[in-house]
Structure formats: structure tokens, C-alpha cells
């Protein structure tokens, strides 16, 4: 390996989660980009409805877990607690899974942990977590041979040795590069597969959901998706802790037995989030209600927009039960 270089996986791990890393900074992810959680309280409301359906499928257990994986500063789990019906909230055991320090003002009912909990029954929900699980990058050289992409602290890249072992096996199955045009790239996703499998293994019974920008084997992006974000703008990925480093997720590779893949648009509509505008007649009979309904419809439309947040993939993996978003 060339002096001063690391693999993208090692560089990203240090830049995001090491001392002074991007995700350990006080402002948290919300200071740099807007997720569905931050876009509208309708998102948390949809998660509460999903939690309610999981609770029913489990037969209303005495203790129901909700694990928010990649919790940021606890925004989603806090909103879910606030919106839960009293009876459900009384049985709920909420977890926030995050490597950063616990926020001082977080609801004391929320258990803050650095790893997904084990032996729970309920809903494990990972919103934009897997896209920040570090991975390596491969690029086809002039002969079409996939090679490891190495990176310097300033973001400059160079090609290393040919991809081998577990990395090569994953590429061959999920994102073939052998013989691809020079410069073709792939993100090697087996660390994410393993992270997801380990998180799901903590469910004794219930539903695990991963939500992320995603792609499938039949339509992988030819040059990959690795990028950076800082203060709401997409930037060049530089592994120095100054920006988020992220890549879309091969959710089809993560999917375990019995899983299903749908779009966020489909999922949220099934959970009651509808961007339909209120009837114009309401504006004359109850103008204030019309304005409120119009605002809600606008938020719902943003969450379900086909070219935006609605294009997120939802991976649903039930454990020990039959579950579908059309009901239980």
C-alpha cells in the first residue's frame, strides 16, 4: 500500500467515528443534511403506525421494543415516544443506537447504546444508517481488472492491488466489475450486509426495517455513489472528519430470508401518509383548517416524491411472524 494511503473503509471509519470524527461533532447530522425524520413529523407518525401494527402482530406483549439504529441525536425515537398512544407508550422500551455521546436533554426513558440491542421483541428501525457503514471501493483498471481504491487524507485517490478474497466474492455476486470499462467503480457492500445481519439477529421476534437510498443488481450505478455532504451541500468526499462520507446501499444484498423491498413512497402511503391536497371547498368553509391541511399535504408530498425522499428503499425483514404493510 502506498505511503500515506488507506482503504476507503479504514479512512471513512476514522473520519466519521474516530476521535473528533464527523458523527461525534456536537451539531450532529441534522446540522449538515435533512433526512425524512427532519422533513416532517408525519414521518414519525408513520413509524408509530408501523410500531402499532408490529405490536398487534406480536399479540401486544407486556414489553415492546423500539430500536432507532443510527439515532443521530435521538430525534426519531423522541418523536415516536411523543406520538405513541398512552397504552402503547406504557409498554414501550425505546432504544437509541448511536456511537456519539448521549444528549444531555434526552428523555430518560430512552436507553442510549452503541450497538443494536439483543433479545428484543418489537421494531428495529434503521433510517439512513447503512449508508454510513464504511466500505471499500473498487475500480476497473485499463485491463478491466477490479482494483482496490486507496485514498490519502486530502481525498486524492490511487489504485492499489487487485481485489481478492471476500471482497472479490461479493463483487462477483452483487456488483460484477470483471471486464468492465476502465474507470467503472463499485462499492463493496459486505460490511453492510454483516452489520444488518447482526442487527436483525438481536430481534427475538418482530420487524427490522432499513431505509436508505438504494440500488439493485440490475441497475447498479456504473461509477458508484461515494460522496460527501457538509452544511446541506454535496461536496467531494475527503476523509478528514470535515464532511459526511456516504454511499447508496445495495439493499438487495443485505436482504435476509423472508425480506421484501419497496419504495418509501409505497411504504408511507400504506402507513397513511398521503400527499393529496384538501378540497378547495374547505378554504371557504374553514380557511384555517384548509391552510393546515395544505401544509400537511405538502409535507407528505415531500416525503413521498418519486424523485426525492420517496425514492428511498425500504427493506422489511420480519422475524418470527408474518407481516405485510397492507395490514396484519
Amino acid at each position: 500500500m502506498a505511503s500515506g494511503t488507506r482503504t476507503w473503509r479504514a479512512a471513512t471509519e476514522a473520519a466519521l467515528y474516530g476521535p473528533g470524527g464527523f458523527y461525534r461533532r456536537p451539531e450532529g447530522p441534522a446540522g449538515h443534511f435533512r433526512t425524512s425524520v427532519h422533513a416532517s413529523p408525519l414521518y414519525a407518525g408513520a413509524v408509530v403506525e408501523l410500531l402499532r401494527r408490529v405490536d398487534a402482530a406480536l399479540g401486544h406483549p407486556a414489553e415492546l421494543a423500539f430500536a432507532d439504529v443510527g439515532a443521530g441525536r435521538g430525534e426519531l425515537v423522541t418523536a415516536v415516544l411523543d406520538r405513541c398512544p398512552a397504552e402503547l407508550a406504557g409498554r414501550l422500551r425505546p432504544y437509541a443506537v448511536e456511537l456519539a455521546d448521549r444528549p444531555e436533554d434526552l428523555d430518560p426513558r430512552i436507553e442510549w447504546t452503541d450497538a443494536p440491542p439483543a433479545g428484543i421483541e418489537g421494531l428495529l428501525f434503521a433510517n439512513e444508517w447503512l449508508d454510513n457503514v464504511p466500505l471499500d471501493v473498487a475500480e476497473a483498471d485499463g485491463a478491466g481488472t477490479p482494483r482496490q481504491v486507496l485514498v490519502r487524507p486530502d481525498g486524492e485517490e490511487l489504485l492499489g492491488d487487485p481485489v481478492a478474497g471476500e471482497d472479490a466474492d461479493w463483487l462477483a455476486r452483487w456488483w460484477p466489475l470483471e471486464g468492465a470499462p476502465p474507470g467503472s467503480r463499485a462499492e463493496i457492500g459486505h460490511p453492510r450486509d454483516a452489520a444488518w445481519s447482526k442487527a436483525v439477529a438481536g430481534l427475538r421476534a418482530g420487524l427490522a426495517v432499513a431505509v436508505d437510498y438504494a440500488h439493485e443488481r440490475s441497475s447498479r450505478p456504473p461509477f458508484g455513489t461515494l460522496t460527501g455532504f457538509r452544511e446541506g451541500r454535496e461536496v467531494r468526499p475527503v476523509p478528514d472528519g470535515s464532511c459526511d462520507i456516504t454511499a447508496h446501499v445495495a439493499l438487495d444484498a443485505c436482504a435476509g430470508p423472508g425480506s421484501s423491498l419497496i419504495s418509501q413512497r409505497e411504504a408511507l402511503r400504506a402507513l397513511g401518509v398521503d400527499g393529496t391536497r384538501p378540497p378547495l371547498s374547505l378554504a371557504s368553509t374553514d380557511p384555517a383548517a384548509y391552510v393546515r391541511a395544505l401544509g400537511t399535504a405538502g409535507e407528505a408530498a415531500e416525503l413521498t416524491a418519486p424523485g426525492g425522499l420517496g425514492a428511498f428503499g425500504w427493506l422489511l425483514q420480519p422475524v418470527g411472524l408474518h407481516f405485510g404493510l397492507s395490514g396484519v
Side-chain angles (χ1 to χ4, degrees), residues 116-120 124 193-205 208 317 319:
I120 61 172
L124 182 142
D193 301 353
W196 180 244
S197 179
K198 184 176 181 180
V200 173
L203 268 181
R204 186 167 63 247
Q317 189 162 332
V319 177

Side-chain angles (χ1 to χ4, degrees), residues 42-321:
L42 292 175
Y43 192 76
V47 175
V48 170
E49 173 59 19
L50 181 59
L51 185 62
R52 187 195 66 77
R53 296 187 191 186
V54 171
D55 180 46
L58 290 170
H60 309 289
E63 180 178 281
L64 182 73
F66 174 65
D68 177 12
V69 184
R73 297 302 177 266
E75 296 93 340
L76 178 60
V77 65
T78 298
V80 165
L81 265 177
D82 289 345
R83 286 162 177 77
C84 265
E87 190 281 328
L88 182 57
R91 292 184 289 113
L92 195 66
R93 184 170 183 181
Y95 298 86
V97 183
E98 182 58 65
L99 292 177
D101 293 337
R102 179 190 181 99
E104 292 183 3
D105 58 351
L106 191 71
D107 190 312
R109 292 174 293 175
I110 299 169
E111 183 172 338
W112 192 266
T113 176
D114 62 3
I120 61 172
E121 291 188 18
L123 175 62
L124 182 142
F125 197 86
N127 184 74
E128 294 196 57
W129 170 54
L130 288 174
D131 67 328
N132 286 126
V133 172
L135 41 60
D136 282 323
V137 179
E139 181 176 319
D141 65 13
T145 299
R147 290 183 175 273
Q148 185 81 247
V149 177
L150 306 178
V151 61
R152 292 194 169 101
D154 62 1
E156 182 184 348
E157 295 179 332
L158 64 157
L159 296 187
D161 294 334
V163 175
E166 186 179 15
D167 289 349
D169 292 342
W170 191 93
L171 284 179
R173 181 177 181 187
W174 293 109
W175 199 333
L177 275 187
E178 199 71 44
S184 299
R185 287 168 67 112
E187 289 118 21
I188 306 170
H190 65 77
R192 293 172 172 181
D193 301 353
W196 180 244
S197 179
K198 184 176 181 180
V200 173
L203 268 181
R204 186 167 63 247
L207 179 70
V209 180
V211 183
D212 250 305
Y213 276 123
H215 43 64
E216 297 186 19
R217 193 182 190 282
S218 60
S219 56
R220 304 284 189 222
F223 303 108
T225 60
L226 188 75
T227 191
F229 281 93
R230 183 191 304 118
E231 298 176 352
R233 296 184 299 109
E234 187 170 3
V235 297
R236 178 170 168 258
V238 178
D240 61 0
S242 68
C243 66
D244 184 24
I245 298 173
T246 180
H248 294 189
V249 183
L251 282 178
D252 51 345
C254 296
S259 297
S260 58
L261 280 167
I262 60 175
S263 71
Q264 175 157 298
R265 180 180 177 86
E266 295 172 291
L268 292 185
R269 286 189 165 187
L271 293 168
V273 178
D274 189 345
T276 304
R277 293 167 64 92
L280 192 58
S281 58
L282 184 63
S284 56
T285 59
D286 191 340
Y290 177 76
V291 171
R292 289 194 299 271
L294 198 61
T296 298
E299 292 176 8
E302 181 183 4
L303 288 172
T304 59
L309 295 175
F312 271 84
W314 279 45
L315 169 60
L316 298 100
Q317 189 162 332
V319 177
L321 58 89

